[in-house]
């Protein structure tokens, strides 16, 4: 039985989610604002900022994955296809794109 594991889910979103770049832009702006509030000696370099943004992305993808996997019937004959059908039937990618576009960091 083929299941859509987290890594495959992340790859699927990377390939199909149009708003990933928007998330990264907004998250980087947020990290830069946070960084500016740090004392000069404690400010992060560009690489550390990028790692923080990547962690934020992984955290949000993990949260979405955990919510979806509870809903999707992975006991079907083709669990991978069950994920794809869920995405299509529920316009999941469109909803995720909208969510990412509306996302605001504080």
């Amino acid at each position: 039985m083929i299941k859509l594991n987290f890594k495959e889910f992340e790859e699927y979103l990377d390939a199909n989610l149009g708003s990933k770049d928007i998330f990264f832009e907004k998250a980087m702006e947020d990290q830069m604002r946070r960084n500016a509030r740090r004392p000069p000696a404690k400010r992060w370099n560009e690489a550390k900022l990028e790692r923080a943004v990547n962690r934020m992305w992984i955290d949000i993808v993990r949260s979405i994955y955990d919510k979806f996997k509870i809903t999707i019937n992975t006991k079907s004959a083709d669990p991978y296809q069950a994920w794809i059908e869920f995405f299509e039937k529920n316009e999941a990618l469109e909803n995720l794109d909208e969510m990412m576009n509306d996302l605001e960091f504080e």
Side-chain angles (χ1 to χ4, degrees), residues 39-69:
K42 302 237 182 209
R43 290 198 180 133
W44 294 356
N45 63 26
E46 187 74 22
K48 193 164 185 175
L49 290 170
E50 288 177 11
R51 284 193 303 273
V53 170
N54 283 327
R55 274 193 311 275
M56 292 168 72
W57 173 250
I58 295 299
D59 290 346
I60 200 164
V61 171
R62 171 67 69 187
S63 176
I64 295 165
Y65 176 76
D66 289 343
K67 286 180 175 73
F68 280 1
K69 76 178 183 180

Side-chain angles (χ1 to χ4, degrees), residues 25-87:
E25 286 175 28
K26 289 180 177 185
M28 182 57 83
E29 288 171 6
D30 176 63
Q31 286 299 321
M32 290 171 69
R33 278 192 303 274
R34 291 172 188 242
N35 204 36
R37 291 191 300 259
R38 292 184 181 101
K42 302 237 182 209
R43 290 198 180 133
W44 294 356
N45 63 26
E46 187 74 22
K48 193 164 185 175
L49 290 170
E50 288 177 11
R51 284 193 303 273
V53 170
N54 283 327
R55 274 193 311 275
M56 292 168 72
W57 173 250
I58 295 299
D59 290 346
I60 200 164
V61 171
R62 171 67 69 187
S63 176
I64 295 165
Y65 176 76
D66 289 343
K67 286 180 175 73
F68 280 1
K69 76 178 183 180
I70 293 168
T71 307
I72 299 170
N73 179 12
T74 55
K75 291 179 175 44
S76 70
D78 186 352
Y80 184 86
Q81 190 59 35
W83 279 81
I84 304 306
E85 289 171 6
F86 175 84
F87 292 152

Side-chain angles (χ1 to χ4, degrees), residues 82-95:
W83 279 81
I84 304 306
E85 289 171 6
F86 175 84
F87 292 152
E88 291 170 358
K89 178 181 169 191
N90 295 288
E91 298 180 346
L93 290 175
E94 293 84 355
N95 291 331

